[in-house]
Amino acid sequence: MVEKRLALVTGAGRGIGRGIALALGQRGWFTVVNYRSNQAAADETVEAVRHAGGAAAGLQADISQDADRRALVETLLDRYGRIDLLVNNAGMAPRQRLDILQTTEASYDEVMATNLKGPFFLTQLAARSMIAGLEANVYREKPMIINIGSISAYTSSPNRPEYCISKAGFGMMTLLFADALAKYGIAVYEIRPGIIETDMTAAVTTKYDALIAGGLTPIQRWGQPEDIGKAVSALADGLFPFSTGEVFNVDGGFHFRRL
Ligand code: NAP
């Protein structure tokens, strides 16, 4: 059984997930850095967390695959005994942005499996283990689940509809698990990042640079992975004990209407 509180952060090798792993590591968490294929990046994250004074270990699993999800949770429970925090961060944009009239079924299936079906069934496995752990008194503090959603849950981008649909469904997934797990004392939150500077947005840098400069967001800058890391840490500290199912917008103010 690991002494420190243990966080499983999916897709933590790069981008936002790395920012979350670093922030949690700095606050004394043991962070399991899950990744799909880029082991070098995951190793760098693990090293960066350790350098910042935290503890971390990498664990490969493709969360879109049932066998991988099961192996991930089983390995983690065997090695460390419990999951204190699951951060559902792993996600993908369509490999190619195609207009809604051209979207392919293959892209739709891939994006939905990664962004919605995978996190849904991973959360189911993790939540079952959390309930069993609570019944066996292995927790000092209540476990928690944090979902990294997107402004795309409510913003129309007809050139990547499968992504928007996955994130809209993900929002309902937050509510459903929050509702079902409240009676166990397991809070479920969603963080909705705005435009964040990562590999995912690298292909549209010029477009977003212009939009931000043109006043798209009241806070006129790109978001950074550390902005999301700070938000996750704040929730993980457990300072919102009478809230669950809550959406926290970390988007420079993108979400509100302006006149
Ligand atoms: P990113 O830079 O493309 O990194 C994605 C990470 O997810 C990588 O570590 C990747 O692993 C991992 N991953 C992808 N598919 C996976 C799978 N099937 N199983 C396990 N890991 C997988 O993306 P990001 O910008 O950091 O995005 C992170 C999350 O934030 C996503 O859910 C995204 O939708 C959301 N988000 C991003 C933005 C933004 O502007 N960037 C805005 C709103 C929401 P490998 O390194 O092994 O490939």
Side-chain angles (χ1 to χ4, degrees):
M1 186 78 69
V2 69
E3 264 303 304
K4 291 175 183 289
R5 298 184 75 198
L6 184 136
L8 166 59
V9 183
T10 65
R14 299 182 281 124
I16 291 173
R18 177 180 286 183
I20 295 168
L22 270 171
L24 290 172
Q26 283 160 358
R27 294 172 94 89
W29 286 74
F30 182 101
T31 307
V32 173
V33 174
N34 159 252
Y35 63 99
R36 176 181 49 186
S37 53
N38 193 338
Q39 190 183 345
D43 288 347
E44 270 178 39
T45 300
V46 169
E47 201 40 54
V49 173
R50 288 182 184 153
H51 191 69
L59 209 47
Q60 191 280 333
D62 180 340
I63 57 130
S64 70
Q65 302 298 316
D66 177 52
D68 280 30
R69 290 190 296 268
R70 287 177 191 281
L72 176 63
V73 172
E74 276 165 26
T75 304
L76 223 145
L77 294 175
D78 283 352
R79 279 192 202 164
Y80 310 113
R82 61 171 198 282
I83 302 169
D84 290 288
L85 170 66
L86 166 65
V87 183
N88 280 308
N89 165 76
M92 66 179 292
R95 289 176 193 273
Q96 198 186 356
R97 289 190 179 207
L98 284 177
D99 181 78
I100 191 166
L101 298 180
Q102 311 300 331
T103 308
T104 66
E105 195 167 335
S107 176
Y108 182 97
D109 286 346
E110 184 183 31
V111 170
M112 296 297 267
T114 304
N115 294 2
L116 185 54
K117 181 177 155 186
F120 178 86
F121 286 105
L122 180 64
T123 303
Q124 188 186 67
L125 289 174
R128 284 183 195 150
S129 83
M130 288 172 177
I131 293 165
L134 285 165
E135 284 166 1
N137 280 321
V138 303
Y139 286 105
R140 278 171 306 196
E141 292 171 65
K142 296 286 189 194
M144 184 186 288
I145 295 166
I146 300 176
N147 295 325
I148 307 302
S150 172
I151 52 174
S152 293
Y154 59 85
T155 304
S156 165
S157 301
N159 64 348
R160 48 180 178 143
E162 62 276 61
Y163 183 80
C164 298
I165 294 167
S166 72
K167 292 297 183 180
F170 197 69
M172 178 51 75
M173 184 186 114
T174 300
L175 287 183
L176 290 164
F177 278 112
D179 190 2
L181 299 179
K183 62 174 173 285
Y184 301 101
I186 303 170
V188 184
Y189 303 115
E190 178 168 337
I191 289 173
R192 281 200 182 147
I195 298 171
I196 313 293
E197 197 168 8
T198 68
D199 292 344
M200 186 178 278
T201 45
V204 282
T205 301
T206 313
K207 175 184 170 184
Y208 286 168
D209 275 347
L211 287 170
I212 293 167
L216 177 73
T217 51
I219 301 176
Q220 222 166 329
R221 67 165 172 86
W222 280 78
Q224 296 300 325
E226 69 187 57
D227 291 314
I228 311 304
K230 284 179 180 161
V232 168
S233 301
L235 289 171
D237 275 352
L239 298 178
F240 295 87
F242 198 46
S243 301
T244 193
E246 205 61 51
V247 173
F248 293 84
N249 295 289
V250 185
D251 62 357
F254 175 91
H255 66 280
F256 51 80
R257 289 168 200 265
R258 296 150 79 205
L259 196 58

